[in-house]
């Protein structure tokens, strides 16, 4: 079974379309949250994910943009985007987003797998360092937990007394690339597929991952997309210019 894992699309339709085209064949699609916020195509991205994903986990921007939570804790740029998105989304899409469950979720047919947005312990927690990963890995009863939220592709793993950070290695900027992680028995993993719509690891390309349960591997991917069109949508919507500029910078 092959699972396509997406996270942090953030209303970037051009990036989402490029990822879906590059992903090839898969059996299920898992969405780890933050379908909207920042980008200027909230309705289109929600509708594509609604039609394709078998499992969805809500993200913090999803929660705010559909009206379940306040934007008070967001910085001014994120708040402006969330308020615009809330008004721009159709009633049907807002209702769908409001019904998306909080993680962690256990996908049927994939024993030992958990899906979350920030952390399986707290949906809003950022797992950025080994210190952050220690608690979730120690307390996890599953082999692999897929998370998003940080917009950083990679992850962490623990085997007995050994702890490691995982960083995909790419060599050809601006082109399609992939990096395979072969899974080791007896090891627990926290895996972030990276952000589809707003990467923050200084690589502007859209990020995603594919989990292959039979091959016992996770393949990380990066794909270029129509960046100019995504930026143009943001500027035409009169969203903060910073949201367009940061897409090129990958941060």
């Amino acid at each position: 079974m092959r699972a396509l894992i997406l996270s942090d699309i953030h209303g970037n339709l051009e990036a989402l379309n490029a990822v879906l085209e590059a992903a090839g064949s898969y059996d299920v699609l898992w969405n780890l949250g933050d379908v909207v916020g920042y980008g200027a195509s909230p309705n289109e991205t929600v509708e594509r994910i609604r039609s394709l994903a078998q499992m969805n986990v809500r993200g913090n921007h999803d929660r705010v943009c559909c009206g379940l939570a306040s934007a008070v804790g967001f910085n001014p740029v994120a708040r402006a985007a969330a308020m615009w998105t809330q008004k721009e989304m159709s009633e049907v899409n807002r209702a769908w987003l409001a019904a998306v469950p909080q993680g962690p979720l256990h996908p049927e047919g994939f024993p030992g797998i958990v899906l979350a947005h920030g952390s399986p312990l707290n949906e809003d927690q950022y797992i950025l360092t080994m210190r952050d990963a220690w608690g979730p890995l120690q307390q996890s009863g599953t082999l692999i937990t897929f998370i998003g939220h940080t917009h950083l592709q990679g992850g962490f793993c623990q085997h007995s007394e050994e702890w490691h950070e995982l960083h995909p290695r790419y060599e050809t900027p601006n082109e399609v690339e992939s990096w395979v992680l072969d899974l080791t028995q007896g090891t627990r993993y926290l895996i972030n597929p990276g952000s589809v719509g707003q990467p923050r690891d200084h690589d502007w390309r859209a990020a995603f991952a594919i989990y292959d349960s039979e091959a016992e591997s996770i393949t990380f991917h990066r794909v270029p997309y129509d960046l100019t069109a995504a930026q143009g949508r943001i500027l035409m919507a009169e969203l903060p210019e910073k949201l367009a500029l940061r897409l090129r910078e990958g941060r």
Side-chain angles (χ1 to χ4, degrees), residues 17-195:
N17 285 340
V19 162
L20 293 173
E21 183 177 352
S25 62
Y26 56 89
D27 299 294
V28 292
L29 190 157
W30 298 335
N31 157 42
L32 304 183
D34 279 357
V35 179
V36 298
Y38 297 133
S41 302
N43 285 304
E44 296 90 340
T45 52
V46 167
E47 285 158 11
R48 292 223 71 183
I49 290 300
R50 282 175 58 194
S51 67
L52 294 173
Q54 281 70 40
M55 294 205 75
N56 297 280
V57 180
R58 77 179 184 191
N60 55 312
H61 283 260
D62 299 331
R63 204 169 65 235
V64 171
C65 291
C66 73
L68 286 179
S70 168
V72 169
F74 282 5
N75 65 55
V77 170
R79 189 182 310 125
M83 294 300 94
W84 178 89
T85 300
Q86 189 177 116
K87 294 176 182 177
E88 187 73 12
M89 274 198 299
S90 70
E91 184 177 342
V92 170
N93 287 334
R94 280 197 303 271
W96 179 83
L97 209 55
V100 171
Q102 173 183 349
L105 302 180
H106 301 263
E108 184 178 353
F110 289 84
I113 303 296
V114 162
L115 311 179
H117 181 63
S119 161
L121 306 181
N122 182 337
E123 64 178 329
D124 292 330
Q125 180 186 355
Y126 287 93
I127 298 180
L128 295 164
T129 66
M130 190 68 77
R131 183 185 295 274
D132 301 328
W134 188 89
L137 284 173
Q138 285 287 91
Q139 298 180 49
S140 174
T142 56
L143 294 178
I144 307 173
T145 301
F146 289 104
I147 58 172
H149 199 35
T150 66
H151 300 211
L152 303 175
Q153 191 179 61
F156 306 86
C157 66
Q158 177 206 3
H159 181 82
S160 187
E161 299 300 318
E162 296 183 2
W163 296 73
H164 299 282
E165 294 189 24
L166 304 170
H167 299 286
R169 295 185 290 274
Y170 301 114
E171 298 178 354
T172 313
N174 303 320
E175 296 186 13
V176 176
E177 286 191 277
S178 61
W179 186 79
V180 179
L181 171 67
D182 293 315
L183 302 172
T184 304
Q185 290 192 357
T187 301
R188 281 188 268 186
Y189 296 89
L190 274 172
I191 298 294
N192 192 321
S195 172

